[in-house]
Amino acid sequence: MEGLLNTFPNQTCFKPFIFYPKIVHKRPMLKLRTGFFTRKPEPGFLRRNCINLGRDSHAISSVSVDGGDEEKEKGSSMDWELEFLGELDPLDVKPPKKKKKQIESRLLKDTDGMDWCVRARKVALRSIEARGLSHKMEDLVAVKKKKKKKKKKLVNNEKIDRKLKEVKEDLDSDSEDDFELQDMENLDDIDDLKRKVSMMAGGMFEEKKEKAMEELVQRLSQFSGPSDRKKEINLNKAIIEAQTAEEVLEVTADTIMAVGKGLSPSPLSPFNIATALHRIAKNMEKVSMPETRRLAFARQREMSMLVGIAMTALPECSAQGISNISWALSKIGGELLYLSEMDRVAEVALTKVSDFNSQNVANVAGAFASMQHSASELFSELSKRASDIIHTFQEQELAQVLWAFASLHEPVDPLLESLDDVFKNASQFKFCEDSNLDSNKDLDSDQALRSPVLNFNRDQLGNIAWSYAVFGQMERNFFSHLWRTLSHFEEQRISEQYREDIMFASQVHLVNQCLKLEYSHLQLSLRSALEDKISHARKTKRFNTKTTSSFQKQVARLLVSTGLDWVLEYVVDGYTLDAVLVDKKVALEIDGPTHFSRNTGAPLGHTMLKRRYITAAGWKVYSLSNQEWDELQGSSEQLDYLREILKDHLGGSNSNIA
């Protein structure tokens, strides 16, 4: 038995022998390494394990071995193992055929603690894993059922994807839910891919998307017909109670989606749409949202949808609604967005100018001016309307209207004439520190209409004075009365730490320079003490860092090739000229986009004031716009263009041009 146990040193048990008691008529002879053993099989022996065998080990060891030659002992040395593996009939009834000894496989080589079957199984599992298959048995069972379930699930997913695609096409697939600056490169790649896809099939996809967008906007903009007053009031209340621009947009977007799904009648009245845009802009102003964040907000799908609906609703909006929408667009998009939308606002507002009050006139005019968007026909009507209701204007509204007309350099004569007629006496002009003070609170209604009093604060005085300088209308009585109120500032300290103080000082300085140069006969220039204070404040470097554009640098490099002695950044009475020929008093102004209206290309008010002043100072001024420069091809053509300009302005001295 010791030899038997040593054969499988790491095995604790082995499969018992198989006997056939019905066939056997005599006691079987069991072949062991130690000889033959005759034993009668006992019931239950088939279920005995190695522990039962151990109990009879003394019987096996006491059996005597029959005699035999050495060859027989050698031949039977492997019989026990063969019998255990089932290759040898234990009853010797049918002796097995002698098998050839096979070469032992490397994979079946014995190792400590592992038999060949376990080792073969591990090799098979490694082979399965190498092919990317799972080694778990449950993965190999019920494969057909799993495939069927997967296929059914795939079909359902395809249906969902098709449905989502249809909804996405209706609501414009260009979605940006949470725009972050660090993700702009990825978004640009996605946008580029979308553009390429949209241009496939002759732009069919882009055309289909635009058509679906228009249809949806039209469906959402059916403002005529029955309405649910309660729903409209609840929506308006939710919009007003929202604390941030994001919350206002979320409330409005949910309603838009509900209407798109069939909510009728729609609570999206023109009043609610105008209120939503106004509240979004107001909440942006409340937290001083930076420009980059506003532009990202404006690019969202829901925001684009809201603006599109507002443009459709404009004809049905009231004068206040048009005023709110135009003001909101100017605060959200600035001068960079909503070009076509502002054209639409100008078109509709022109038909309702007669309904505008002083606040509407100020807000609409201020919105177009802050966006550098010209609208000559509209401003002409606004000027007439303002002159008709001039006695109703508050100080801030009046300052805003005049600044807007001056910024876009729009004609404003009817309004200026009305101001001269209504405000004839110097006693009607006062200076106050409190900008919220009601100027007519101590007057009855009749007296207020006859002789209204204007209590201006410092910034309002600066804006109005600068506007009159741009208009070139400094001889008017209204201006002279207003300008004399600046004497109240002589004792006040103008801080160099605040941008508002520097802006005020710059405006007053330019106006004073115009008075001294162009209107010296009026004797309205500031006294030397106040002039020195203002001149010193405007020169502070805190808010006067000048940046040179790439366009200006490119032109400056080519000017050197002309062979003339150009001086860059030359200062004349507070104005900085881009390039000058000092001895010939020729100034070349290199004007970028900020000098012109964004939609018409007309020079803006501050540019026209500078040109007029420099000309009055005895200089020949020529403006080179970036739009003209971009149309030239190559540096050689640009240099030829510069030479032609100089020949026209230098006259007989053009022989010096290289």
Side-chain angles (χ1 to χ4, degrees):
M1 186 62 187
E2 182 179 357
L4 174 62
L5 295 176
N6 288 336
T7 306
F8 301 96
N10 295 319
Q11 300 294 323
T12 58
C13 62
F14 61 91
K15 186 177 180 180
F17 301 128
I18 300 174
F19 296 93
Y20 304 92
K22 291 184 180 181
I23 302 175
V24 177
H25 299 283
K26 61 179 180 179
R27 295 183 180 180
M29 300 293 293
L30 301 182
K31 292 184 180 181
L32 302 176
R33 286 186 176 182
T34 55
F36 292 90
F37 172 67
T38 303
R39 182 179 179 181
K40 182 178 179 180
E42 299 176 0
F45 182 77
L46 296 176
R47 293 188 298 271
R48 290 184 181 180
N49 53 19
C50 58
I51 298 175
N52 296 332
L53 180 62
R55 294 171 183 170
D56 300 330
S57 58
H58 64 279
I60 299 175
S61 59
S62 62
V63 176
S64 60
V65 180
D66 296 338
D69 54 9
E70 295 180 358
E71 292 182 0
K72 190 173 182 180
E73 290 179 0
K74 291 180 180 180
S76 62
S77 62
M78 296 296 295
D79 287 347
W80 194 92
E81 290 88 347
L82 294 175
E83 186 178 40
F84 178 75
L85 295 175
E87 297 178 3
L88 185 65
D89 190 345
L91 302 179
D92 287 337
V93 177
K94 296 180 180 179
K97 295 181 180 179
K98 194 72 174 179
K99 292 185 178 180
K100 294 182 179 180
K101 187 176 182 181
Q102 296 180 352
I103 300 175
E104 190 176 12
S105 171
R106 182 176 59 85
L107 297 176
L108 301 181
K109 190 175 181 180
D110 287 333
T111 57
D112 294 338
M114 183 186 299
D115 62 3
W116 68 270
C117 59
V118 175
R119 191 163 54 253
R121 181 176 181 273
K122 288 194 174 184
V123 171
L125 292 178
R126 281 197 298 270
S127 177
I128 293 173
E129 291 176 356
R131 289 171 171 80
L133 303 175
S134 175
H135 62 276
K136 296 180 180 180
M137 282 300 294
E138 51 265 29
D139 293 341
L140 304 178
V141 180
V143 178
K144 291 185 179 180
K145 291 184 179 180
K146 283 198 172 185
K147 283 187 176 180
K148 288 182 180 179
K149 289 182 180 179
K150 188 175 182 181
K151 186 176 181 181
K152 185 176 181 180
K153 186 177 181 181
L154 183 62
V155 172
N156 292 335
N157 288 337
E158 290 177 354
K159 290 181 180 179
I160 295 172
D161 291 341
R162 279 199 302 271
K163 190 66 177 176
L164 290 175
K165 187 176 180 181
E166 292 174 0
V167 175
K168 194 174 183 182
E169 286 179 353
D170 286 343
L171 297 178
D172 186 6
S173 60
D174 203 3
S175 171
E176 292 186 22
D177 293 333
D178 293 317
F179 182 85
E180 299 294 341
L181 292 178
Q182 59 265 29
D183 294 334
M184 287 186 67
E185 294 183 0
N186 295 335
L187 291 174
D188 290 339
D189 295 339
I190 295 173
D191 290 340
D192 184 59
L193 179 60
K194 288 180 178 179
R195 283 193 295 270
K196 290 180 180 179
V197 173
S198 65
M199 295 307 296
M200 295 173 63
M204 179 183 66
F205 299 107
E206 185 69 20
E207 192 175 317
K208 182 179 179 182
K209 185 183 75 172
E210 292 178 358
K211 185 177 180 181
M213 179 74 171
E214 292 176 1
E215 291 177 354
L216 182 60
V217 170
Q218 290 293 335
R219 187 166 70 247
L220 295 173
S221 306
Q222 301 299 323
F223 303 110
S224 301
S227 62
D228 190 331
R229 186 64 179 167
K230 185 176 180 181
K231 288 183 180 179
E232 293 180 6
I233 293 175
N234 290 337
L235 175 60
N236 189 266
K237 183 179 179 181
I239 291 173
I240 294 175
E241 290 178 351
Q243 298 298 314
T244 64
E246 289 79 3
E247 290 179 5
V248 176
L249 183 59
E250 183 179 359
V251 170
T252 312
D254 290 343
T255 307
I256 291 175
M257 293 295 294
V259 175
K261 293 178 180 178
L263 176 63
S264 181
S266 170
L268 291 170
S269 63
F271 176 74
N272 281 340
I273 292 170
T275 303
L277 283 174
H278 183 268
R279 296 296 296 186
I280 287 173
K282 191 172 182 179
N283 287 327
M284 287 181 173
E285 292 285 288
K286 184 173 62 177
V287 298
S288 300
M289 185 180 290
E291 183 183 30
T292 52
R293 183 68 186 92
R294 296 190 188 209
L295 296 179
F297 188 93
R299 292 181 60 194
Q300 295 182 83
R301 179 189 62 190
E302 294 81 1
M303 189 63 192
S304 299
M305 183 69 69
L306 177 59
V307 173
I309 297 174
M311 293 301 102
T312 306
L314 269 177
E316 300 189 39
C317 287
S318 63
Q320 186 64 40
I322 295 174
S323 171
N324 288 344
I325 290 174
S326 60
W327 180 84
L329 294 180
S330 68
K331 296 301 180 182
I332 298 171
E335 72 276 8
L336 300 176
L337 296 180
Y338 304 132
L339 185 65
S340 60
E341 284 80 0
M342 293 307 292
D343 287 336
R344 173 70 171 166
V345 171
E347 177 185 351
V348 176
L350 189 60
T351 64
K352 296 193 177 185
V353 172
S354 59
D355 298 332
F356 282 10
N357 58 25
S358 58
Q359 184 186 38
N360 302 150
V361 173
N363 285 344
V364 172
F368 279 86
S370 63
M371 300 180 80
Q372 300 178 0
H373 196 100
S374 296
S376 298
E377 293 184 13
L378 175 62
F379 271 72
S380 177
E381 294 300 320
L382 288 176
S383 176
K384 296 177 183 178
R385 177 59 180 169
S387 64
D388 293 339
I389 57 174
I390 191 61
H391 57 278
T392 64
F393 274 81
Q394 300 295 322
E395 291 80 6
Q396 178 59 34
E397 296 168 353
L398 184 58
Q400 185 171 340
V401 167
L402 291 173
W403 171 84
F405 274 86
S407 296
L408 294 176
H409 203 251
E410 296 287 354
V412 70
D413 290 341
L415 177 57
L416 299 183
E417 292 174 1
S418 297
L419 289 172
D420 288 342
D421 293 339
V422 175
F423 302 96
K424 296 179 180 180
N425 302 321
S427 61
Q428 294 177 272
F429 295 82
K430 297 183 181 299
F431 166 74
C432 68
E433 289 292 340
D434 187 4
S435 59
N436 296 322
L437 181 64
D438 188 357
S439 58
N440 298 316
K441 66 178 181 179
D442 296 330
L443 303 175
D444 56 35
S445 59
D446 293 337
Q447 187 178 0
L449 291 175
R450 289 194 304 269
S451 58
V453 177
L454 296 174
N455 289 288
F456 291 111
N457 62 28
R458 185 195 63 180
D459 295 336
Q460 293 165 359
L461 285 173
N463 285 331
I464 295 175
W466 177 83
S467 301
Y468 270 86
V470 173
F471 298 142
Q473 301 281 347
M474 305 176 81
E475 294 179 334
R476 290 187 175 272
N477 291 331
F478 184 89
F479 173 79
S480 63
H481 294 318
L482 178 136
W483 184 253
R484 286 188 175 93
T485 60
L486 286 172
S487 60
H488 294 282
F489 289 102
E490 187 173 2
E491 302 301 328
Q492 291 190 4
R493 178 176 179 271
I494 299 176
S495 174
E496 299 177 7
Q497 303 299 319
Y498 300 100
R499 183 180 296 274
E500 293 78 7
D501 290 4
I502 304 304
M503 290 180 63
F504 168 75
S506 299
Q507 288 177 328
V508 172
H509 174 78
L510 294 177
V511 175
N512 191 56
Q513 291 297 109
C514 289
L515 286 172
K516 292 195 299 182
L517 180 63
E518 299 180 278
Y519 300 93
S520 58
H521 60 283
L522 298 177
Q523 297 181 353
L524 291 175
S525 58
L526 298 175
R527 286 181 291 179
S528 58
L530 181 57
E531 184 179 359
D532 291 342
K533 287 182 180 180
I534 291 175
S535 178
H536 178 74
R538 65 173 295 276
K539 292 180 180 179
T540 180
K541 294 182 179 180
R542 181 177 177 85
F543 301 107
N544 284 295
T545 55
K546 183 175 177 58
T547 57
T548 304
S549 64
S550 58
F551 170 45
Q552 186 174 344
K553 292 178 181 178
Q554 186 181 14
V555 176
R557 286 194 297 267
L558 291 177
L559 287 175
V560 178
S561 304
T562 62
L564 300 174
D565 189 15
W566 290 96
V567 178
L568 304 179
E569 306 294 336
Y570 189 78
V571 180
V572 176
D573 296 339
Y575 281 111
T576 302
L577 305 181
D578 296 327
V580 300
L581 296 172
V582 180
D583 56 339
K584 303 181 185 303
K585 296 202 79 170
V586 173
L588 180 63
E589 283 293 278
I590 306 170
D591 296 333
T594 57
H595 291 269
F596 306 96
S597 167
R598 69 172 186 170
N599 59 323
T600 63
L604 297 176
H606 67 90
T607 302
M608 295 301 296
L609 175 60
K610 181 179 181 180
R611 291 180 186 178
R612 195 185 78 235
Y613 183 87
I614 299 301
T615 302
W619 292 77
K620 295 179 181 178
V621 182
Y622 183 81
S623 173
L624 178 63
S625 68
N626 66 317
Q627 185 176 359
E628 296 174 350
W629 191 259
D630 291 340
E631 294 176 356
L632 302 175
Q633 303 295 327
S635 58
S636 60
E637 189 172 338
Q638 293 169 347
L639 183 59
D640 293 340
Y641 183 72
L642 284 175
R643 288 171 177 166
E644 290 297 325
I645 293 173
L646 296 176
K647 287 179 182 179
D648 295 338
H649 286 75
L650 294 177
S653 304
N654 56 14
S655 58
N656 297 329
I657 302 175

